Amino acid sequence: GDVLMALTNKFIYKNWDLGFTMRASLGNYVYNDNLAGSANCGTGSVYSLSYLGNRPVEAVALGLNNVLTEQVFSDFFVENASFLKMDNITLGYSFDGLFKSGNYSGVSGRVYATVQNVFTITKYSGIDPEVNGGIDNSLYPRPFTTVIGLTLNF
């Protein structure tokens, strides 16, 4: 993209902490190969090798017809893929002095939860606007993941 931005922040209140990381890319363009590869809705593409092929609703709505099974590259499928992503959010609670006894100061630590790949805001119609090489031909989205953790100090 033309402009890359990031924002990382951490808020602390008493024993609680909340942190997050966001990224943005503006002026990012991607060739939507998933849509382009299935956009031919001609009889040579839909019914080939004696079986019917599936087409996404978006491809049928385009109405691109070709009697052959081949698909020609077109800048029609180049889309603005600018985005804002929330990469991760972490919420934690720190504690100390558990199990105190005599001169023993006890156990301290932190319990936390993290979510990754929280959301993406974009006008891009494909699966993920952030692709390597500018061509989106991946059928698998990035997973939303969660982590729960505990650190202890004895």
Side-chain angles (χ1 to χ4, degrees):
D2 295 336
V3 177
L4 301 174
M5 297 180 283
L7 175 64
T8 300
N9 211 332
K10 186 172 185 178
F11 302 100
I12 299 174
Y13 178 74
K14 296 186 179 181
N15 291 4
W16 291 94
D17 62 87
L18 175 68
F20 66 87
T21 303
M22 297 174 71
R23 289 181 302 117
S25 175
L26 305 176
N28 187 30
Y29 287 87
V30 170
Y31 183 80
N32 190 343
D33 195 40
N34 291 318
L35 181 56
S38 58
N40 179 9
C41 294
T43 56
S45 174
V46 174
Y47 187 79
S48 61
L49 302 176
S50 301
Y51 67 90
L52 289 172
N54 290 327
R55 289 292 177 259
V57 174
E58 296 88 355
V60 175
L62 290 174
L64 299 177
N65 293 312
N66 183 347
V67 295
L68 304 174
T69 58
E70 64 188 33
Q71 182 65 36
V72 179
F73 287 105
S74 170
D75 62 357
F76 180 83
F77 299 103
V78 176
E79 298 182 35
N80 184 341
S82 298
F83 64 84
L84 171 67
K85 286 189 173 198
M86 177 67 76
D87 284 329
N88 63 55
I89 301 174
T90 300
L91 176 65
Y93 181 80
S94 300
F95 56 88
D96 60 352
L98 293 179
F99 311 117
K100 285 185 190 179
S101 176
N103 291 334
Y104 178 60
S105 61
V107 176
S108 63
R110 181 173 176 260
V111 61
Y112 63 92
T114 300
V115 290
Q116 295 176 325
N117 197 27
V118 184
F119 64 79
T120 302
I121 299 172
T122 185
K123 291 183 178 180
Y124 178 63
S125 67
I127 294 175
D128 190 350
E130 188 176 23
V131 297
N132 188 18
I135 298 177
D136 181 10
N137 54 10
S138 175
L139 297 175
Y140 303 103
R142 296 173 194 253
F144 173 83
T145 59
T146 59
V147 175
I148 298 175
L150 173 66
T151 57
L152 297 174
N153 302 314
F154 295 94

